[in-house]
Amino acid sequence: MKLVNYLAILFLAVFAVLAVTGMWDDTANYDERIHLPAGYTYLTQKDMRLNPEHPPLIKDLAALPLLFLDIKFPSQSWGWNTPLSIDNSRTPSWQTDVAFGNDLLYYSGNDAQKMMRYGRLPIILIGLLLGFYIFRFVRELWGGGAALVALAMYSFSPTVLAHTRLVTTDVAAAAAFFISFYYFYHWLKAPTQRNLWVFGLVFGLALLTKFSTFLLIPAFGFAAFVWGLVQNQKRWFWAAKYAGGFILVLIIAYAVVGAVYTFHVWNYPPEKQAIDTRFILGTFGSEFLVNLTAQMAFIPGARSLGQYMLGLLMVIQRSAGGNTTYYLGNVSAAGSRTYFPLMFLIKEPLAYVLLVFFALLLAFKKCWLHCASRPVKKWRADLIALIKDNPAEAGMILVLLVYWFFSLRSHLNIGVRHILPTLPFTYALTARQIMHWIRGGITERIPLYHGFWQLLGLYWKRIKRMALVVLVFLWAVLTVVFVYPFFLSYFNEIAGGPDNGYKWVVDSNNDWGQDILRLAKFIEQNDIKEIKMDYFSGAPAEYYIKGVKIIGYNREEPQKGWLAVSSTILMGQCKGDKIPCSFDGRAYIWLDAYKPVAKIGYSIFVYKLE
């Protein structure tokens, strides 16, 4: 077991090194320049007027290291002082978020890159914590070998590595899903008062990471009720006991949520909170819910939960509305049911995809062999026995089904990061099947030991299977390491690698505004004095690119000279901004005839046009 622990420590250490060194030259992406400044205002002003679309906990943690820096707060910022109005001159709330974020990071004399590096460290620690829990939980369930397989898949996942070094909520949400499930499982197995309180407190913290964790409420509630029903004696008693216990868990969890939100609205004027709520939810379908949420701002004991409800309704509103982006030759906000399955197939290493499908095949084969030999009438009893004997697997599968169901129905198709909470469960279940297959290579026991060759012959099938799995992992690790430090732009062999990923999807899958500093270094190294730029969000170019004339232009007309275009704009900008549009209706059709002289981090294409 010591070797298993040492290997786990090694995997996590490599994970930490890749994450820290890989993010060093990443500039703030679109979400980071909102989240980190918002978190800083929460801690210093106790006012949550900025970015209520996400719970505050992760932004708080990211901003904690900033309290040890000498930061100038732009109290006169338009983004901080502009009231949201419900009259005809509507100012979208995201504009004030962006304006304040830019003022704090770039226009107040602060060191933006240093702030971002400090702010990302707590997110990396959350990634390490999740890795630890994956190893711990899988080892408790299925042994050290399966735990190492699951941890290896996690530690070298380009999706995890890309997002664990960003001030966003995606890896934290994955940690919330998996860690809360860990304590949920322990409460199911031993429904003691202590386990109930621990689960309730952890669940409360989980709900504070991202609003998608709300999906755990129906998943956990249903699982707890079913677990009670599969007990051998007094089934309805245990079902009622677990259902009642889960209600107590929710009370504890939302007490935690309320306490944290109370701090964040302490200096937030109730009148402004109500006006902001009505403005932000101006297009929400239910007027009753909007009015209720706004009125809660004036009820002292309910103000905090009113702010929580605002964020939850914002997410529902945005998920239904979608987000305009490029996907497989079309620019649209409609979304597609194929989006997230395809993202998994092309954004995870192909070796992982093959392992997952192989694990599914093993599981179906095992189920088929068992069910085929049993009459249909026995299947109900088999299902009950299966749940009772394998509560962890059943619970993980339930969480995956619930999350994938809502993901497939969502119109918000802007990145593989939105299915990141499913990955730890996928890795754990895959590791379980892979290790079961490896161990299945031994079908005999040794009655009398006759030496090494007898032992080798007996274990030869297991050794071959283990060697095959190791080779598959080496393949995955090499493809991930070769793309370092550009994990965000990783695409596997199905998509043609990171060089061709932008032809499939863009946005936070490969171009989120993270490569401006690297572009600045390229411009300096090539002694470029004048350049035309068209890039997606992130940091203001002039903050990093000094002494160079940056020129705007009409993107629909052919240009000359140095030109830098990010892939999200290159693929997703329609002519005349007429959305939706097809590939042939893009603004940059004329640029398709040229090849870039450089690709900065696979996200910014640099051309020298004659």
Side-chain angles (χ1 to χ4, degrees), residues 77-370:
S77 169
W78 172 84
W80 180 254
N81 292 300
T82 298
L84 299 179
S85 173
I86 57 175
D87 60 22
N88 292 329
S89 56
R90 297 172 65 88
T91 300
S93 59
W94 62 265
Q95 287 188 5
T96 57
D97 295 344
V98 170
F100 178 82
N102 284 344
D103 285 339
L104 179 68
L105 290 169
Y106 307 111
Y107 302 132
S108 298
N110 297 316
D111 187 337
Q113 198 64 19
K114 185 176 183 180
M115 292 171 67
M116 292 312 308
R117 289 166 180 165
Y118 272 61
R120 289 164 178 159
L121 292 177
I123 313 302
I124 294 173
L125 291 177
I126 292 174
L128 288 169
L129 181 67
L130 174 54
F132 166 76
Y133 268 94
I134 290 173
F135 177 76
R136 177 179 178 176
F137 195 14
V138 176
R139 184 175 61 178
E140 287 180 11
L141 294 171
W142 306 307
L148 280 180
V149 171
L151 182 59
M153 293 183 74
Y154 173 83
S155 300
F156 294 100
S157 165
T159 303
V160 176
L161 284 168
H163 293 280
T164 197
R165 77 249 185 93
L166 302 177
V167 184
T168 55
T169 57
D170 301 296
V171 165
F177 269 78
F178 194 82
I179 296 173
S180 62
F181 179 81
Y182 173 83
Y183 287 101
F184 171 66
Y185 170 80
H186 280 272
W187 172 65
L188 286 185
K189 297 290 286 184
T192 63
Q193 189 175 35
R194 178 183 179 277
N195 284 347
L196 183 144
W197 274 93
V198 171
F199 172 41
L201 293 172
V202 171
F203 196 32
L205 294 176
L207 293 171
L208 286 164
T209 60
K210 193 169 185 174
F211 284 110
S212 59
T213 53
F214 191 81
L215 295 175
L216 288 174
I217 294 177
F220 285 171
F222 178 75
F225 183 73
V226 171
W227 180 247
L229 288 179
V230 300
Q231 302 307 305
N232 288 332
Q233 297 178 346
K234 299 181 179 179
R235 293 178 179 178
W236 289 105
F237 166 79
W238 282 107
K241 179 180 175 64
Y242 276 110
F246 187 66
I247 291 173
L248 290 177
V249 166
L250 288 180
I251 293 172
I252 296 169
Y254 274 102
V256 173
V257 170
V260 172
Y261 266 85
T262 296
F263 173 85
H264 289 79
V265 298
W266 196 267
N267 292 330
Y268 191 12
E271 296 79 9
K272 178 170 175 53
Q273 181 182 346
I275 292 174
D276 290 353
T277 296
R278 294 185 187 278
F279 171 80
I280 293 170
L281 298 177
T283 59
F284 192 79
S286 171
E287 186 177 349
F288 170 77
L289 288 176
V290 174
N291 290 333
L292 175 63
T293 305
Q295 284 300 118
M296 291 174 74
F298 299 104
I299 304 174
R303 280 193 67 203
S304 57
L305 291 180
Q307 188 70 2
Y308 173 84
M309 278 187 63
L310 167 62
L312 184 60
L313 296 180
M314 285 180 72
V315 170
I316 295 172
Q317 179 177 252
R318 190 178 180 209
S319 179
N323 201 87
T324 301
T325 189
Y326 170 85
Y327 174 60
L328 292 182
N330 292 287
V331 180
S332 173
S336 171
R337 297 289 175 88
T338 65
Y339 183 86
F340 287 116
L342 182 63
M343 289 306 96
F344 177 80
L345 290 177
I346 65 176
K347 289 289 288 179
E348 282 286 277
L350 182 55
Y352 286 13
V353 174
L354 294 176
L355 285 175
V356 169
F357 278 101
F358 182 58
L360 282 171
L361 180 63
L362 292 173
F364 282 125
K365 179 182 176 182
K366 181 179 178 181
C367 180
W368 174 256
L369 290 176
H370 177 76

Side-chain angles (χ1 to χ4, degrees), residues 419-430:
I419 58 167
L420 212 155
T422 67
L423 296 185
F425 297 101
T426 302
Y427 298 155
L429 292 170
T430 300

Side-chain angles (χ1 to χ4, degrees), residues 76 127 165 246 289 364 366 374 438 463 474 488 521:
Q76 302 305 313
R165 77 249 185 93
F246 187 66
L289 288 176
F364 282 125
K366 181 179 178 181
R374 302 272 289 175
I438 290 175
I463 293 170
L474 287 176
L488 193 74
K521 292 180 179 180

